[in-house]
Amino acid sequence: MRCYFLHDGHLAGVEMLPPGFSDGDAIARAHILSSKRKGPHDGFELWDRGRAVFRHPDPYVETLAPIMLGSNWFSPAPETRH
């Protein structure tokens, strides 16, 4: 598997993971590699040949979060005084 580090949507580096990792183990290893990486990066993608295994941060969360927050989905209900 390969872990591609991204910066502003461009490739910033790559790490080859040893063969034999399960998807879960490879994701955990990619998070560790990302936290220890010294070069600038703001995310990573984990690939197993032509299969995308994991993306961080998740692009769908970034897209949906403003919509959910804008609708007060995560905000508590306003207090009412009697």
Side-chain angles (χ1 to χ4, degrees), residues 77-82:
E79 288 186 33
T80 56
R81 295 190 174 178
H82 298 285

Side-chain angles (χ1 to χ4, degrees), residues 1-79:
M1 288 191 201
R2 291 186 177 111
C3 182
Y4 295 101
F5 296 99
L6 307 171
H7 183 67
D8 291 332
H10 298 281
L11 184 63
V14 63
E15 284 278 341
M16 298 291 295
L17 276 63
F21 278 131
S22 68
D23 286 356
D25 290 341
I27 291 167
R29 178 67 180 248
H31 276 288
I32 292 168
L33 291 171
S34 177
S35 69
K36 292 183 177 183
R37 186 162 176 84
K38 296 184 186 207
H41 70 288
D42 50 20
F44 64 86
E45 293 183 353
L46 185 61
W47 286 78
D48 184 11
R49 298 183 186 167
R51 178 177 66 96
V53 176
F54 187 78
R55 291 182 183 161
H56 176 76
D58 188 337
Y60 298 108
V61 171
E62 288 183 0
T63 302
L64 294 177
I67 296 168
M68 289 185 237
L69 291 173
S71 66
N72 294 323
W73 189 350
F74 294 113
S75 299
E79 288 186 33

